Amino acid sequence: MTNTENETPVEDGTPLDAETAEAAATDAPAGEAEPQDEAAKLAEQIASLQQELLYARAETQNVTRRKDKEIADAHAYAATKFARDILSVADNLGRALSAIGDEQREDEKFKPFVAGLEATERELMSVFERHGITRIAAIGLPLDPNQHQAMLEIPSDKEPGTIVQEMQAGYMMKDRLLRPAMVGVAKKAD
């Protein structure tokens, strides 16, 4: 075959025009570079997908931990509302016992009644203890705003900020506050 100006012979002998030959010449090196570019892109995609997988696993673990904590809290503090409501029963029982005078305690007619009230109070405190409900200490301690609610200031020779009177007992359920103790706090005497 003869070569013309615009035609370039190919291995199989068919002529190519100049543009096709030039494109074929530039495609050959690009063809060799394409697999490398494609491999780099695939490697980037793999790395990106691996990173996304790690984030998804971490998020799944966080959700699982959060769910487990919520379930544990629900079990531990399920009776919180009931416990708050029953505190008023404990308060009323305590008031009833403190209202009984010494002479009534000694009277044979009232002894069984008083003994029954005291036994009921002991049983209630035992139930509280079994369920992690504890009374907050107050008298003689410094005011702790996380556990005590100051209702009034009382002139006293004690250190200012010291609790000198408890108007209503406070209670904790495990590590949570059920009700703050309502207290009177010492202030400097005039």
Side-chain angles (χ1 to χ4, degrees):
M1 288 199 150
T2 59
N3 285 345
T4 62
E5 278 178 50
N6 293 337
E7 292 180 353
T8 307
V10 183
E11 291 177 13
D12 67 355
T14 56
L16 289 179
D17 62 10
E19 289 175 6
T20 309
E22 188 176 312
T26 56
D27 281 348
E32 292 171 9
E34 261 184 42
Q36 291 174 354
D37 289 345
E38 192 173 317
K41 286 179 184 177
L42 289 174
E44 284 179 31
Q45 285 179 341
I46 289 171
S48 173
L49 291 173
Q50 285 175 334
Q51 192 67 29
E52 287 177 24
L53 177 65
L54 288 175
Y55 286 140
R57 281 184 182 166
E59 183 61 28
T60 303
Q61 287 175 346
N62 289 340
V63 167
T64 303
R65 277 191 219 117
R66 208 170 23 248
K67 175 193 61 100
D68 291 345
K69 184 181 182 330
E70 287 173 3
I71 288 171
D73 285 351
H75 285 284
Y77 302 107
T80 300
K81 286 183 181 181
F82 176 74
R84 279 194 187 110
D85 291 342
I86 204 76
L87 291 180
S88 63
V89 173
D91 292 340
N92 289 333
L93 187 58
R95 283 189 206 104
L97 282 169
S98 64
I100 299 172
D102 288 338
E103 70 179 48
Q104 291 167 330
R105 286 180 187 273
E106 299 301 321
D107 189 348
E108 291 300 320
K109 288 187 219 175
F110 286 110
K111 273 190 177 183
F113 175 71
V114 172
L117 285 176
E118 289 172 341
T120 302
E121 184 182 45
R122 279 192 305 273
E123 182 61 28
L124 183 61
M125 292 304 136
S126 174
V127 169
F128 280 2
E129 199 173 302
R130 278 196 306 269
H131 293 282
I133 300 170
T134 55
R135 187 174 175 153
I136 296 172
I139 303 291
L141 297 174
L143 180 72
D144 178 358
N146 295 318
Q147 295 183 341
H148 307 121
Q149 183 175 350
M151 301 304 290
L152 57 107
E153 289 185 316
I154 302 169
S156 174
D157 58 344
K158 301 225 183 217
E159 183 73 27
T162 302
I163 298 170
V164 292
Q165 183 182 4
E166 182 180 61
M167 287 157 258
Q168 186 179 46
Y171 290 90
M172 300 282 290
M173 183 173 197
K174 297 180 173 68
D175 60 345
R176 288 191 182 171
L177 182 68
L178 278 178
R179 179 179 76 189
M182 294 185 185
V183 297
V185 180
K187 73 173 185 176
K188 208 177 239 187
D190 293 337

